[in-house]
Amino acid sequence: MSAPARPAAVPVTRRTAAVLALASVGGLMMLGWPLLLQPAAGDRVDPPFLFLALVPLVLVVVLAEISEGGLDPRVLAVLGVLSALVAVLRGVSAGTGGIELVFFLLILAGRVLGPGFGFALGCTALFASALMTAGVGPWLPFQMLVSAWVGMGAGLLPQRVRGRGEIVMLAAYGVLAAYAYGLLLNLSDWPFVLGIGVPGVSGDLTYVPGAPLGENLVTFLRYTLITSTGSFDTGRAITNAVAIALLGPAVLATLRRTARRATVVGTVAGPP
């Protein structure tokens, strides 16, 4: 039997959904611009400092839109607690060999509390963890954006699935999210890594400005397959799947009990 539908912790209106969609398209363009760029021969391609400034701005606009209707203080409290937990988990796991305990909790929270909450948690949790681990840098806005997509995607999974099927579905999503996260983060810095060569691998893995889209895309896929897919991304995928399989049922039950107390049924009324 399927569980009855419950209002999301952070309601997503049609306008909010449109803003999320536009922000996601803009974010993909900010990540994938090197593949679409066609500079003249000999032109220098500099890092997209404008994009680095636009990504945080896009995130602020989306978060403002998500919270426009008013957030219940209990929802804010849950968001703060989960952001702190994710930050602590990131500090403990440190990503050594791809072992990261960040995403399994983000996925489970997005699953229970909805796509809007998952997007917000992905932003706030990665920002808080970067402050705790001295991980602030030009890569941070992209990490926040892609993590927000991971949390939002978990909230968009079919809600009717429950029991063992739900755990299997979330574990499979955790594996896919791990590889997608690594691929997109690689895309954000690959164009600026010069002279990439791997022993035993023929050909250069460096981005070539002005090369055909297919050629650069193949080069990028080879680069990410060799440098991260078989190592960090696979470690992250295994960690997500194992953590969800072992801890998922208990964490889901805890989050659902919390959600019943913190779920927003309407908007928060303002002062008379």
Side-chain angles (χ1 to χ4, degrees):
M1 294 180 63
S2 61
R6 185 187 64 252
V10 179
V12 178
T13 64
R14 290 184 179 180
R15 192 179 77 172
T16 304
V19 171
L20 283 169
L22 290 174
S24 296
V25 171
L28 285 174
M29 291 181 64
M30 293 173 195
L31 284 165
W33 68 269
L35 298 176
L36 305 176
L37 189 66
Q38 292 294 326
D43 284 357
R44 176 179 174 180
V45 178
D46 292 319
F49 295 112
L50 177 60
F51 284 174
L52 291 178
L54 284 177
V55 173
L57 181 60
V58 168
L59 294 175
V60 168
V61 170
V62 174
L63 291 176
E65 174 63 29
I66 289 175
S67 62
E68 184 184 84
L71 292 183
D72 191 291
R74 293 167 295 181
V75 174
L76 290 176
V78 173
L79 180 62
V81 169
L82 289 177
S83 297
L85 285 175
V86 170
V88 171
L89 288 174
R90 190 181 188 188
V92 170
S93 56
T96 304
I99 300 176
E100 288 183 315
L101 297 173
V102 174
F103 296 99
F104 96 94
L105 184 56
L106 174 60
I107 290 170
L108 297 178
R111 166 67 175 172
V112 173
L113 296 162
F117 187 94
F119 189 97
L121 180 61
C123 293
T124 58
L126 265 290
F127 181 74
S129 64
L131 294 179
M132 289 185 61
T133 60
V136 178
W139 54 84
L140 178 58
F142 295 107
Q143 289 180 337
M144 292 170 61
L145 180 63
V146 179
S147 297
W149 287 338
V150 171
M152 181 175 67
L156 295 174
L157 294 174
Q159 288 295 325
R160 293 184 176 182
V161 183
R162 287 289 189 269
R164 293 183 179 178
E166 181 179 35
I167 298 300
V168 172
M169 178 183 69
L170 291 174
Y173 176 78
V175 171
L176 293 175
Y179 287 115
Y181 179 87
L183 185 144
L184 290 173
L185 263 296
N186 285 340
L187 187 57
S188 70
D189 60 18
W190 165 66
F192 313 112
V193 182
L194 302 178
I196 307 170
V198 178
V201 178
S202 60
D204 190 10
L205 302 179
T206 306
Y207 166 67
V208 179
L213 171 62
E215 181 179 324
N216 268 331
L217 183 59
V218 170
T219 302
F220 168 70
L221 291 177
R222 292 179 64 226
Y223 164 78
T224 194
L225 180 65
I226 293 169
T227 59
S228 72
T229 300
S231 53
F232 294 101
D233 296 345
T234 297
R236 187 183 298 116
I238 294 173
T239 302
N240 287 349
V242 171
I244 290 172
L246 295 179
L247 303 176
V251 175
L252 285 173
T254 301
L255 288 172
R256 284 183 172 128
R257 285 196 298 269
T258 302
R260 282 193 290 270
R261 298 184 177 93
T263 294
V264 175
V265 178
T267 57
V268 177

